[in-house]
Each structure stands twice: as C-alpha cells, then as structure tokens.
Amino acid sequence: MPKVKSQKFGYSHNSTKNVSTSTAATSKPAKAMAPLFRKDLGQHILKNPLIAQNIVEKVAAGLKCTDVVLEVGPGTGNLTTRILERAKKVVAVELDPRLAAELAKRVQGKPEQRRLDIMVGDVIKTDLPYFDVCISNTPYQISSPLIFKLLEHRPLFRCAILMFQREFALRLIAKPGDNLYCRLSVNTQLYAKVDHIMKIGKNNFKPIPQVDSSVVRIEPRNPPPPIDFKEWDGLLRIVFVRKNKTLSANFKTSSVLDIIENNYKTFCSANEMMIDANFDIKKKVINVLKSVGFAESRAAKMDVDDFL
C-alpha cells in the first residue's frame, strides 16, 4: 500500500471507518461510497479528465522519470494517477483523512502504489520533503501562504504548476499599471518568474465553486535575491496602502513617520551613532526619496527593480 503518514490523524487507509458511507441512508451504493466534499476546506475536485491531462502535460514536457513531485490537495487522485505515470515518486499532502483514504484505495494493488506517499495534515504546518516539481489544485484559503512556503523551501524546486481562483492568479502575474497589481504581485515576482497557463471554468469542478480558476507556472529565481524579506515587505506595505499616491505622500503620514523614527533611533543606538538635536525624520525621509529619484513615483507603476 502507499505510505500514509500522519501524526495528527490516527487512522488506517484499510479501515472502512474513514470512508463516508451509509448504506442505510440511500439505496444507491455508488453515492454512498462517494466522499463528501467540504467547501469549508476549499474542496472543489477537478472532474474534467481532459483538463487534468492538459495540466499534467504542461509540466510533463520538462518532467523527468527521476523527478519527485509534490502534490498539494490531491483529493481523490484525478491528477495524482496521471502524474504517477510520468514521475519517479509523488508525495501527496492531503488535509482530509477521508480523501487520503480514497486516494490510497485508488492505487491499491497497482504498480504505482509503491511510488505514492500520502501525508495527512496541513501543508502549511508540514515540513516538506525534497521535491523537484509541485502541482496543486490549491484550496483558496491557503493560496498566498502556500506560494511563500514553496518559495522559502530549500533546496529550490524546478517549477510549480498551481491552480488558483482566477482573480488571485491574475494578481500573481499583474504588471505595473494593471488594476490588480499589488504587494502580492511584487513579492511573488521578486522570487519567481510567473506565467499564466490556462483558464478553467467553474463548471469543471465538483462541487461547483462561485468563480472560475486559472493555472499558473512558477519558476523560482536561482539564486534568490540577497535581501532581508521582512525589510522588503515592510517597504511594500507602506507604499501599497495607497498605491496610486506618490511615495512621498505615503511616507509623510504621521503613523509611518513615527515607525520610521523609532526604527532609526534604535538603529543609531545599536550602532553607536549620534543623532542631532534638531533631527527631523520627515525631512530625512523626503531627502532620501529625492536622492534616488522616486519621491513623485507611484507604487502602482513601479516594477521589482525600482523597489530594489
């Protein structure tokens, strides 16, 4: 059988207690054996086999028989079985133990079962093993955390094929000047090249979600930029609060100036630097912005290189 690992849930995939069944509740055994999908967990299973095959083929051109593939949210395995045909191994991380049991049963007795590891738990809280490629039909609740967990993973993976709600996907690929261009766009594009692959209508899922989806391809930049991400993200938080205002306008607000002044004084103290008695943080900030030529620039139209 596939290896099913879980510290959070104690169960065996051989136990029928983990499959949602109730022969007394219905006279149709097929429906009784089907798992109940939970919308609160973002469970919208891709039911169109042609699209599932197309997604795998988008990555298959570069997929090697020696590759380890991480699949997030495999559900009942519509993508998993296709990936197993091409990859050396699949590590499937599934939050719902019922669906993990269904997936284990699906490959039971087949050659692929030895190449499938199922990890039951929250992918965001899980220490991920080594992988070359990631494929995910991503629950909307973890879209942003998953991206940055993957980009922080070491060693770097080669690429990821990720399905998201359409508007979220469009934010990932948005360019300066686009309406959806935001802090998420810049943070993602700092660490990776992001391309839109395909749009998928909501009717291709079960249960049907409220919005369409899109698939994107993410390739991490190697090596990653040598910056302190907390400082970088702190800058973006300030300038994207009002992305269509000038940078000088965003930095002149009293709340931002108070934070910068406190941080600057802490920095000076730690580095044994003297601060002039007539020190004016507002004047210093504006002078810095003018010195780099961005005082009148707007975050909505600045690219990654500008922010760097």
Side-chain angles (χ1 to χ4, degrees):
M1 290 296 295
K3 301 175 185 176
V4 181
K5 307 173 183 178
S6 174
Q7 296 178 348
K8 183 176 180 181
F9 305 101
Y11 84 103
S12 166
H13 54 252
N14 286 325
S15 173
T16 57
K17 291 187 293 184
N18 297 292
V19 183
S20 179
T21 61
S22 178
T23 54
T26 177
S27 60
K28 297 182 180 181
K31 287 188 177 180
M33 292 298 293
L36 298 176
F37 301 122
R38 294 177 54 184
K39 289 187 177 182
D40 61 312
L41 296 181
Q43 292 178 352
H44 297 281
I45 307 302
L46 182 63
K47 66 180 182 179
N48 188 326
L50 294 178
I51 293 180
Q53 186 63 33
N54 198 7
I55 291 174
V56 175
E57 288 177 352
K58 292 295 181 181
V59 69
L63 199 61
K64 305 173 184 176
C65 60
T66 56
D67 279 342
V68 175
V69 176
L70 173 71
E71 186 182 10
V72 178
T76 55
N78 292 344
L79 280 173
T80 315
T81 52
R82 289 173 169 81
I83 300 169
L84 283 168
E85 295 173 357
R86 302 172 181 266
K88 174 184 177 181
K89 178 181 177 181
V90 173
V91 178
V93 184
E94 174 58 58
L95 178 61
D96 191 336
R98 301 167 309 132
L99 295 185
E102 287 291 321
L103 176 57
K105 288 169 56 181
R106 187 164 182 172
V107 297
Q108 184 177 2
K110 299 179 180 179
E112 293 86 355
Q113 70 180 29
R114 292 174 296 177
R115 296 186 286 111
L116 174 63
D117 282 358
I118 303 174
M119 302 177 67
V120 182
D122 186 342
V123 67
I124 304 302
K125 301 176 181 178
T126 299
D127 291 331
L128 299 177
Y130 170 88
F131 62 94
D132 300 290
V133 175
C134 177
I135 298 178
S136 171
N137 177 5
T138 312
Y140 69 89
Q141 301 97 321
I142 65 167
S143 296
S144 184
L146 176 63
I147 284 180
F148 292 105
K149 183 177 180 69
L150 293 177
L151 293 176
E152 290 171 1
H153 184 75
R154 298 294 182 273
L156 287 172
F157 57 94
R158 192 166 67 250
C159 76
I161 304 295
L162 309 174
M163 188 189 308
F164 297 111
Q165 289 189 349
R166 181 158 176 79
E167 182 173 315
F168 183 88
L170 294 179
R171 290 181 185 275
L172 293 179
I173 64 172
K175 301 300 181 183
D178 294 347
N179 288 335
L180 292 177
Y181 189 62
C182 60
R183 183 165 62 95
L184 174 66
S185 315
V186 182
N187 276 337
T188 306
Q189 293 170 30
L190 171 72
Y191 286 104
K193 177 184 177 184
V194 189
D195 296 307
H196 184 271
I197 293 181
M198 69 176 80
K199 177 183 176 181
I200 301 177
K202 59 185 178 182
N203 291 328
N204 291 291
F205 297 88
K206 180 181 180 181
I208 299 176
Q210 295 181 343
V211 297
D212 294 333
S213 297
S214 280
V215 179
V216 299
R217 180 186 181 96
I218 294 179
E219 297 182 14
R221 301 190 188 279
N222 194 7
I227 64 168
D228 184 323
F229 181 75
K230 289 184 178 179
E231 291 183 359
W232 165 272
D233 192 50
L235 167 69
L236 296 189
R237 285 178 184 273
I238 292 173
V239 300
F240 274 100
V241 167
R242 299 179 299 174
K243 67 178 183 179
N244 291 310
K245 295 288 186 179
T246 63
L247 263 59
S248 60
N250 280 321
F251 276 98
K252 284 179 182 178
T253 61
S254 57
S255 58
V256 171
L257 288 174
D258 287 344
I259 293 173
I260 295 177
E261 183 172 14
N262 289 332
N263 288 346
Y264 183 68
K265 288 180 177 179
T266 301
F267 172 81
C268 291
S269 176
N271 291 274
E272 300 181 351
M273 297 169 56
M274 296 297 294
I275 299 179
D276 295 336
N278 59 348
F279 173 74
D280 185 342
I281 188 63
K282 181 177 179 180
K283 182 178 180 180
K284 185 172 184 63
V285 168
I286 297 304
N287 286 340
V288 169
L289 290 174
K290 288 181 178 179
S291 71
V292 294
F294 288 120
E296 299 305 312
S297 298
R298 292 167 169 76
K301 297 186 177 180
M302 295 172 64
D303 60 21
V304 171
D305 289 337
D306 293 332
F307 291 117
L308 282 171

